[in-house]
Amino acid sequence: MLYAWFRYGWADATRRRIIIYVSFILPLCASLLSAKPIAAQISNVVTFKDVTAAAGIQFSHSHGPRSSLLPEDIGSGAAFADYDNDDDLDLYVVNNPGPLNAKVTQASPGNVLYRNNGDGTFADVTAMAGVGDRGFGMGCVFGDYDNDGDLDLYVTNFGPNVLYRNNADGTFTDVTAKAGVGDARWGTGAAFGDYDNDGDLDLYVPNYLEHDLSRLVEEQKTSMQYGQAVLSRLNPHSFEAQDNVLYRNNGNGTFTDVTAALHVESAGGRSLQAIFTDLDLDGDLDLYVANDLSPNFLYRNNGDGTFTDVSSESWAADFRGSMGLATGDYDGDGDLDLFMSHWIDQENALYSNLLKEEGAIEGASAGRPIHLVDESYGASLGEESLNYVGWGTDFFDYDNDGDLDIFVANGHTFQYLDQPEQLIAQNDQLFRYDGEGIFTDATTLAGVDKLPVRVGRGVTFGDYDNDGDVDLFIVNNHDRAVLLRNEGGNRNNWLHVKLIGTKGNRDGVGAKIRLKAGDLIQLREIAAGSSFLSSNSLVAEFGLGRQTAVDWVEVTWLGGKTERFSDIQSNRRIVLMEGKGIEPKKE
């Protein structure tokens, strides 16, 4: 409790930092003195290689000069997803048609869908698929909202959002109007999740701020160079926050706005990303919302179709500028922890879930307390991020050693003094977990520092080449995107698990998967919408280290039903169908 008082009761960042240093300096020094050098800890170094051009990807974010307006600097995101059900990950990337005041034509750039050819390359099928939206794009998330066995696509914009229904023949249909989800505000990092456990996916759409261009006209007339007027129109404080929206799936292709009834609008939040996740392990999905310039919100699911705001009492009402979100059991204690990326001088946050420490057990009644404590400094993630502006992020086991590491894409929101049309670029960061509570900066070791320095934004994670390790795709603001192939993660053993729901939603979104292999016990949760303005593969990736046998895989579907599967070989992908077991491998 004393730690929580220091963390949340002191507004002064400098004094808070001193206290945290004092709290952790002795154990941290002892850990560092006793630890082996990182190179010695890894017998086979894993690196990331830029294969963008070789893969046939030519995506570049935005076109034309930057006009120093806030919407131009926020986006955009991307998603790995198998939209055509051919067992490899395709890629969708969100774009904008140019400067905010540019005229949009058929020649203007739009969003891009790349189909995976299965040989390490991608083909641009945007036109054929009909998903080349030319709105001022922000984010995207895939989810099978109509439970027909293929993934549909929701795109957020600075302006009306778009829902594309998958036609199962390589094409999509714009069903926004019919579905009733075309929110015209400034949509950001949306998430699908079955919050009411009725078997279909609902949709939460965060909105950022009321960017009233009319009030900026005079500023633009009086200052077209770097100066106070430019700073004002780039400062989120200059604009009012917009409420978010929760759409309940009606099960007939339409949605109903239930935001006001459930009080989940995140009022005053200036929200950038949301995630559905079961933080109290009671079998239903809670909702966490990352906000810029105001405290974050945590809504606990009551299990009856309603939520309770537990932001403050959970200790997770983070007050800093939050961008990216990720959940995962990094410390291996059987509950889901939370990581979020922040603005410069506000250190990224690693929130450890205290369910185990407080004696909670899965399956207990709804309403159990949720307590999350920021362990970023104790885990060596605080000071290391102070000079960066973090965006896309996730927990993932990049070296398949059996525990979760963290990647963060960085890029400033400030512009160069002598080049006001250009935002300040920053290096991305990779942090490797040592299994004992500490993360080590592996950016250089993994070759991430060799990439050209850019202005990072959205990141999507997934094994696009089906070789057993997790790859990355990074969207860079006003620059080319980068596909990073994992080189060597599959030297360790692995298992990938895809779910098919039969009673619940088709892709098992919200389900929790536990795996035991020797002394390794791991937890994953299937989430649709996380990172920043992005969504990741819906396949759960487990690293097994040197373990060659999997004792069991256990799936807890939404609602609490648990199934255990055994006799599973490593180094492969398996499909688990609710109520039916392991699906035979396709020939």
Side-chain angles (χ1 to χ4, degrees), residues 20-98:
I20 296 173
Y21 275 135
V22 172
S23 300
F24 290 108
I25 191 68
L26 292 178
L28 181 57
C29 286
S31 174
L32 291 175
L33 288 172
S34 62
K36 296 179 181 178
I38 186 170
Q41 297 176 33
I42 308 175
S43 57
N44 295 301
V45 174
V46 178
T47 60
F48 287 91
K49 182 179 180 180
D50 182 349
V51 295
T52 317
I57 295 173
Q58 300 177 339
F59 182 89
S60 184
H61 177 263
S62 192
H63 291 257
R66 174 177 171 268
S67 55
S68 296
L69 291 173
L70 192 56
E72 297 175 349
D73 297 347
I74 297 299
S76 60
F80 277 127
D82 182 11
Y83 83 92
D84 52 1
N85 283 335
D86 64 351
D87 293 332
D88 51 34
L89 293 176
D90 311 297
L91 176 65
Y92 189 77
V93 196
V94 179
N95 207 347
N96 67 57

Side-chain angles (χ1 to χ4, degrees), residues 435-508:
E436 299 294 333
I438 302 296
F439 287 84
T440 304
D441 191 335
T443 307
T444 298
L445 189 70
V448 175
D449 66 332
K450 295 181 176 63
L451 298 172
V453 182
R454 294 188 168 95
V455 183
R457 290 297 186 260
V459 184
T460 181
F461 299 73
D463 181 13
Y464 83 90
D465 51 1
N466 282 339
D467 66 348
D469 46 36
V470 181
D471 312 295
L472 311 176
F473 184 83
I474 307 167
V475 183
N476 296 298
N477 188 272
H478 274 76
D479 209 331
R480 78 177 187 91
V482 179
L483 176 64
L484 296 182
R485 186 178 67 207
N486 188 318
E487 301 274 292
N490 56 9
R491 295 190 190 106
N492 276 327
N493 297 313
W494 54 275
L495 183 74
H496 293 176
V497 181
K498 176 179 171 57
L499 300 181
I500 297 179
T502 56
K503 297 180 181 178
N505 70 85
R506 177 76 178 184
D507 291 291

